[in-house]
């Protein structure tokens, strides 16, 4: 998603949600020692990265959904929204809303909200709060706010935009490896005048087939530092989100399509409001596709949601192809007719 289009959209969404729910917000619990110890073990050895992929032979060109959180008022300190309401308001204010039209349905986000089990982690000069989380069964987003409380660290930072973490992740409980696609966007107070000095907005996005089963995910940060400088805050900050199981619409396997003279056979297709996942294999080895712009979703009324309306991630080898199409609006998947590949329909199971 285009980060800049969310500035005005999220400002309105967040402020409205805060006004509605602030009085009902319970105190944010501190993360348990068990969480902190466990995440330290899980994260040992991970390299700092902003996107990750471990599928097949070629590196993926994942362009994960980037949601740049906008402005929060100072009265929001220590407050968590949850329930999907923040993301619903965000999408409703999106510049993509008109383009998607009736193909989108933002109300379903209220049924995708995750439970913020541990909404805030604080210590070692840094506070990290979770604001909202949603999952559609194969793609999830978590929005949080980070406040640097250590003045010495702030004074050493030459460029606040260079804040990073030695290790970070969004991991399913019991797992030790990051999902196939995991992204993190960080936005500083410098670009948001109403934010207090030292405040950032962080959005985690993750693509994980296990999300359909629901379960607990731990969102963690470890060892903050400023790229290109000596400033560092050692520590780990971990929160927990629980997602509910979610059903996916799937495609009928073994359907065939042709692209650039190559015959492809469908192995797996699943579609949810926020993403489309496809795996295909070539009838003959030597697969090398440079252009997959013909990929699109066709709605029952004939509306096409094409490659230019989404964010596409591609991984391929000589015989296999995997595609992740992330939608700019939550799609009404019950009204999807088929997926078009090279202009040829791949139908969904009823």
């Amino acid at each position: 998603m285009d980060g800049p289009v969310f500035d005005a959209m999220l400002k309105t969404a967040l402020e409205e949600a805060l006004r509605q729910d602030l009085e009902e917000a319970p105190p944010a619990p501190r993360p348990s020692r068990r969480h902190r110890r466990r995440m330290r073990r899980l994260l040992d050895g991970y390299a700092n990265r902003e996107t990750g992929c471990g599928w097949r032979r070629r590196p993926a060109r994942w362009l994960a959904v980037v949601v740049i959180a906008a402005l929060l008022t100072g009265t929001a300190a220590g407050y968590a929204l949850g329930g999907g309401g923040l993301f619903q308001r965000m999408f409703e204010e999106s510049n993509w809303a008109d383009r998607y039209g009736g193909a989108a349905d933002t109300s379903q986000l209220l049924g995708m909200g995750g439970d913020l089990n541990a909404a805030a982690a604080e210590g070692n000069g840094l506070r990290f709060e979770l604001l909202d989380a949603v999952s559609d069964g194969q793609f999830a987003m978590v929005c949080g706010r980070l406040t640097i409380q250590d003045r010495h660290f702030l004074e050493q930072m030459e460029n606040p935009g260079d804040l990073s973490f030695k290790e970070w992740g969004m991991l399913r409980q019991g797992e030790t490896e990051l999902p196939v696609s995991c992204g993190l966007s960080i936005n500083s107070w410098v670009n948001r005048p109403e934010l207090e000095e030292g405040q950032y907005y962080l959005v985690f996005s993750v693509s994980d087939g296990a999300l359909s089963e629901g379960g607990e995910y731990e969102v963690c940060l470890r060892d903050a530092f400023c790229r290109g400088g000596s400033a560092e805050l050692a520590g780990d900050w971990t929160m927990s989100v629980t997602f509910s199981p979610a059903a996916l619409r799937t495609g009928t396997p073994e359907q065939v399509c042709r692209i650039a003279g190559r015959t492809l056979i469908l192995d797996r297709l699943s579609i949810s409001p926020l993403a489309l996942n496809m795996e295909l294999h070539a009838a003959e080895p030597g697969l090398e596709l440079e252009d997959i712009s013909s990929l699109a979703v066709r709605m029952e009324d004939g509306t096409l949601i094409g490659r230019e309306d989404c964010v596409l991630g591609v991984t391929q080898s000589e015989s296999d192809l995997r595609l992740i199409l992330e939608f700019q609006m939550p799609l009404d998947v019950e009204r999807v007719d088929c997926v078009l590949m090279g202009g040829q329909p791949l139908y969904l199971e009823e």
Side-chain angles (χ1 to χ4, degrees):
M1 289 185 182
D2 252 343
V5 304
F6 290 102
D7 290 356
M9 170 181 72
L10 268 174
K11 176 179 172 62
T12 301
L14 292 168
E15 289 180 349
E16 180 182 347
L18 287 169
R19 284 195 300 269
Q20 290 179 354
D21 301 327
L22 182 57
E23 293 182 356
E24 302 176 3
R30 293 181 59 85
S32 68
R33 290 185 179 180
R34 181 182 64 84
H35 275 173
R36 294 196 296 269
R37 289 197 302 268
R38 183 175 174 277
M39 289 311 299
R40 184 178 293 111
R41 292 196 302 269
L42 293 180
L43 289 171
D44 283 341
Y46 281 172
N48 184 44
R49 50 182 173 174
E50 293 191 356
T51 57
C53 175
W55 192 86
R56 307 268 179 171
R57 295 181 50 187
R58 294 179 58 178
R61 301 193 298 274
W62 300 131
L63 300 176
V65 173
V66 178
V67 180
I68 303 298
L71 312 173
L72 277 177
T73 62
T75 60
Y79 177 67
L81 296 174
L86 185 156
F87 283 106
Q88 181 192 27
R89 294 181 176 93
M90 177 193 72
F91 281 110
E92 287 177 348
E93 296 293 329
S94 169
N95 291 345
W96 288 96
D98 288 341
R99 169 65 189 92
Y100 274 64
D105 176 13
T106 61
S107 66
Q108 59 191 321
L109 291 166
L110 297 178
M112 302 178 192
D115 295 327
L116 308 181
N117 304 326
E122 184 172 3
N124 295 351
L126 186 150
R127 178 179 175 84
F128 184 31
E129 307 159 83
L130 295 187
L131 302 178
D132 204 1
V134 293
S135 168
D136 68 356
Q138 58 184 357
F139 191 86
M141 297 183 292
V142 176
C143 180
R145 179 181 57 199
L146 181 145
T147 302
I148 296 176
Q149 302 167 323
D150 189 298
R151 298 300 307 177
H152 179 66
F153 183 87
L154 286 175
E155 292 169 358
Q156 287 185 312
M157 296 179 68
E158 296 181 4
N159 181 5
D162 286 338
L163 176 70
S164 189
F165 296 88
K166 290 184 177 179
E167 293 157 351
W168 59 266
M170 184 172 169
L171 291 164
R172 183 177 179 83
Q173 188 175 48
E175 297 294 329
T176 59
E177 295 183 5
L178 289 174
V180 169
S181 176
C182 188
L184 171 64
S185 67
I186 303 176
N187 194 30
S188 80
W189 78 91
V190 174
N191 300 317
R192 303 292 180 266
E194 289 83 351
L195 286 178
E196 297 180 2
E197 182 183 12
Q199 288 191 328
Y200 294 79
Y201 284 87
L202 279 62
V203 175
F204 294 79
S205 60
V206 62
S207 178
D208 185 5
L211 283 164
S212 63
E213 304 170 5
E216 184 176 350
Y217 281 73
E218 292 179 329
V219 180
C220 55
L221 301 169
R222 184 175 178 184
D223 296 342
F225 71 97
C226 186
R227 290 188 294 266
S230 58
E232 181 174 337
L233 284 177
D236 59 80
W237 302 268
T238 301
M239 278 74 66
S240 173
V241 178
T242 298
F243 294 116
S244 299
L248 306 174
R249 289 199 68 186
T250 58
T252 305
E254 305 300 324
Q255 296 183 75
V256 176
C257 62
R258 288 183 61 82
I259 298 181
R262 296 286 184 178
T263 298
L264 298 176
I265 302 171
L266 181 66
D267 294 322
R268 185 180 71 87
L269 185 158
S270 59
I271 188 168
S272 56
L274 298 174
L276 164 71
N277 277 270
M278 294 177 62
E279 293 180 14
L280 308 98
H281 69 271
E284 298 178 357
L287 180 63
E288 188 69 28
L289 298 179
E290 298 296 334
D291 183 13
I292 313 181
S293 59
S294 60
L295 181 63
V297 175
R298 186 173 70 194
M299 308 299 291
E300 291 176 345
D301 63 0
T303 299
L304 292 180
I305 303 300
R307 163 68 183 87
E308 66 278 8
D309 305 314
C310 309
V311 180
L312 176 65
V314 180
T315 298
Q316 64 177 301
S317 68
E318 291 185 355
S319 59
D320 298 288
L321 176 67
R322 179 175 183 179
L323 306 172
I324 297 181
L325 198 64
E326 297 168 0
F327 305 121
Q328 302 282 12
M329 293 288 293
L331 205 65
D332 186 350
V333 294
E334 295 303 319
R335 296 181 56 245
V336 172
D337 176 45
C338 66
V339 175
L340 297 176
M341 189 80 168
Q344 301 149 84
L346 299 173
Y347 290 103
L348 304 178
E349 297 177 334
E350 297 297 331

